[in-house]
Amino acid sequence: MKLRVALSAVVIALASCGGTGAARGPPAVVDEWLLPVGLDADPDTIYQENRHLFDYDAEAPLDLEQAGIRRIDGVTVVDLSYASPKGGRVPATLFVPDGSGAFAGLVLMHGLPSDRSAMSQPATAFARLGAVVITIDAPFARPHNAGREALLLTENDRDEQIQLIVDLRRAVDVLISRTDVDPDRLAYVGVSYGGAMGGLLAGVEDRLAAYALQLGDGGLVTHLTGPEDQGDYLYTGLSEEARQAWLEAMWPIEPIHYVSHAAPAALLFQNGATDELVPPADALRYQAAGSEPKTTLWYDEGHGISPAAVNDALAWLQDVGGLNQLQATTPALSIDRALLIWLVLTIGSLGYLSWALWEDQTTQWGSIGVWLLVVVFFGPLGLLAYVNLYRRPTRAADGAEAAMSASKRALGSTMWSAAGNLVGVFVIALSNSYEPALVVLLPLGTGLLVYWLSRFPRREGSRWTTHAQPLTVQIVSTNTILIGAYVLLPSALDRFDLWYPFGEPIRAIWAVLVLGSAAAVLTGYPAHRWMVSRGLIRWGPATGDVESQTRRLSRLQSLGLMLASFAILVAIVQVAMALAATGQTPSL
């Protein structure tokens, strides 16, 4: 279970790579939604008669209570709560950048069903750009409602939606109460349900300069009553009487009636042309209701925010929303150039290695594949290892091949093993499988597969093998390599996500691939060096039966060595996860 946490960040980034996210024009769709029978069709009357429902005593004490504080890469993260004017307490998290301000202030709102933890990554990124960010839990996501449905389709939904808007207004009060927040530079960003509720908030809260409404529609009524929604069993399963009661309770607080009164605040609508959860017709109706000034952006995406869309939102907040002082505080451009240079060198190294291996007719087919894999993971360093450890072996004075030094043999062995094991690590990440046995056995299996493939001869007279180690040593090798890979991967990904807070995730993944490989070698090399020096691993140009020259351990020694490597792996991963839970991720 602990390793599930370690790999989750990698999986999320890998999963978010789909789609280009390029902005496009609005889709050509026909709006077939009809106003349910018995509901008032005059949005202005509805707005004027019901906006008072969201009033509250702004002079009442916030009654802030701090629940915890931690540091995440230059951002102070404070878990707290404050009193809700509608009863109970509002769980919230503040993300505060280093410095004295005055900073911009941002309110971020999650979707449904979800909670404020879903907004942690963008909140941290915005804080690193120079904004104090607050996120809150919707009433349905608070501790006293644990385990229940987000929507009950009763009048309780009305009460909770009113409470949410009032609690969001109090979140603005929390920001304004801080001396490090500029009250003239406040904005809101909401996703999905948060995008819909932002339109409602915009109609009753005039202290925010801008509202970015991502993947939103006109509200729960329009969301559940369109022709495409007839399969929603929660709604269609209601009796006619219960359904009408819910509609009449929710319609007066439908966001589409309020978003038309957001001015003078600026509105940004961002929606996906292939979104099935928020159909384009619903989104277009919501956008049309919004007051000016407004900007509408469409993407060739489903119900998800692409990096390009978030980049557009950031640019809009800087330009239209008055948050022009938001700026990156990390050397993203320099890192980007370094990664690009490394990628070019890796591609060049693969080209040269392919030619060199083809020219060397004594290299077996399997070894060709392994060396190419090594260069994929280690770039030009892999090519350098090939040239120095394999292509140009050291010669003795009499012209015969001299014994390769233990350090060189250990380096080659570690790089070969790491390349095989890391294939398994990334297969786990892509497959989203985290069974404890699989986390170790799959990297071990891919490592053994690479070793087995390396023995395939290319033709008669090919070198049979240059690498041999017993199964015990394979297991110890895998465990020491996984120590570096699993401990560094989540930390590295988190940091690269912050260096590229709104950039293409592929850059963060490529960076993690490079750093994860380096970490695997750093932790695996000492163990390989020790095992090579004791004859447990044979690696390098050799003749004769290399297998028979490899030292064998007794059963007791094998068991002890394996148990020790497992114990170290589990202990270090446990420590890494404990640090990650407090936000103290390992430094790079």
Side-chain angles (χ1 to χ4, degrees), residues 104 173 185-186 188 194 358 367 373 450 454 531 534 557:
D173 294 338
R185 294 193 298 131
L186 302 175
Y188 173 97
W358 183 258
S367 291
L373 188 62
V450 166
S454 71
M531 291 186 289
R534 282 158 178 76
Q557 288 173 322

Side-chain angles (χ1 to χ4, degrees), residues 348-475:
S349 298
L350 281 171
Y352 175 81
L353 181 64
S354 299
W355 171 81
L357 289 171
W358 183 258
E359 289 291 310
D360 182 3
Q361 294 294 312
T362 64
T363 304
Q364 57 265 42
W365 286 114
S367 291
I368 290 176
V370 177
W371 276 117
L372 291 172
L373 188 62
V374 166
V375 172
V376 167
F377 279 96
F378 299 101
L381 296 180
L383 177 62
L384 186 63
Y386 167 78
V387 171
N388 284 279
L389 306 182
Y390 190 89
R391 182 83 169 177
R392 299 173 183 169
T394 304
R395 299 283 176 176
D398 60 359
E401 284 188 0
M404 187 183 295
S405 68
S407 59
K408 284 187 176 182
R409 284 183 285 139
L411 178 60
S413 174
T414 309
M415 294 180 78
W416 268 41
S417 298
N421 298 145
L422 289 172
V423 171
V425 171
F426 282 95
V427 168
I428 290 171
L430 286 168
S431 63
N432 202 20
S433 300
Y434 306 107
E435 294 301 324
L438 187 65
V439 166
V440 174
L441 291 180
L442 185 58
L444 174 63
T446 54
L448 288 170
L449 179 62
V450 166
Y451 168 60
W452 179 71
L453 289 174
S454 71
R455 301 167 61 85
F456 270 93
R458 184 170 176 181
R459 63 181 180 84
E460 189 69 26
S462 294
R463 282 175 276 192
W464 176 250
T465 183
T466 59
H467 188 248
Q469 56 192 56
L471 179 60
T472 296
V473 173
Q474 285 276 3
I475 293 173

Side-chain angles (χ1 to χ4, degrees), residues 110-357:
H110 62 79
L112 180 156
S114 187
D115 57 37
R116 72 186 191 278
S117 66
M119 305 303 290
S120 293
Q121 187 174 5
T124 304
F126 272 120
R128 286 182 63 85
L129 295 175
V132 175
V133 182
I134 187 169
T135 64
I136 73 169
D137 283 340
F140 60 73
R142 295 175 188 174
H144 64 278
N145 285 326
R148 52 151 272 199
E149 294 285 346
L151 290 180
L152 300 180
L153 295 177
T154 67
E155 291 194 23
N156 181 77
D157 295 339
R158 170 190 173 91
D159 296 336
E160 290 192 344
Q161 185 165 308
I162 293 172
Q163 179 170 14
L164 172 62
I165 300 305
V166 172
D167 292 344
L168 286 171
R169 299 191 71 187
R170 288 256 81 181
V172 178
D173 294 338
V174 173
L175 289 177
I176 292 177
S177 71
R178 298 180 58 88
T179 58
D180 58 353
V181 172
D182 182 352
D184 294 325
R185 294 193 298 131
L186 302 175
Y188 173 97
V189 178
V191 179
S192 190
Y193 174 77
M197 294 304 108
L200 176 48
L201 179 66
V204 298
E205 177 55 69
D206 59 6
R207 293 173 294 178
L208 277 64
Y211 292 81
L213 310 177
Q214 301 174 326
L215 308 177
D217 59 15
L220 293 174
V221 172
T222 54
H223 186 79
L224 291 177
T225 57
E228 71 283 342
D229 302 312
Q230 297 310 304
D232 191 297
Y233 70 93
L234 290 177
Y235 177 74
T236 57
L238 294 175
S239 67
E240 183 64 33
E241 182 181 1
R243 189 182 306 136
Q244 191 63 31
W246 185 81
L247 291 173
E248 291 176 358
M250 298 301 293
W251 186 241
I253 58 171
E254 189 78 347
I256 200 168
H257 307 317
Y258 295 79
V259 73
S260 58
H261 297 271
L267 299 175
L268 170 66
F269 296 94
Q270 292 178 292
N271 291 91
T274 58
D275 193 338
E276 295 182 353
L277 293 180
V278 176
D282 286 359
L284 284 166
R285 194 182 321 116
Y286 186 41
Q287 294 172 2
S291 58
E292 296 288 351
K294 63 182 174 184
T295 301
T296 60
L297 297 175
W298 285 89
Y299 303 87
D300 287 316
E301 298 287 340
H303 199 69
I305 293 295
S306 67
V310 185
N311 266 323
D312 291 340
L314 175 61
W316 179 83
L317 287 169
Q318 291 170 323
D319 182 27
V320 178
L323 277 64
N324 56 307
Q325 293 183 24
L326 288 184
Q327 54 185 339
T329 57
T330 50
L333 183 59
S334 298
I335 295 170
D336 194 43
R337 289 174 177 171
L339 289 176
L340 179 60
I341 292 171
W342 189 260
L343 178 61
V344 171
L345 290 175
T346 298
I347 294 173
S349 298
L350 281 171
Y352 175 81
L353 181 64
S354 299
W355 171 81
L357 289 171

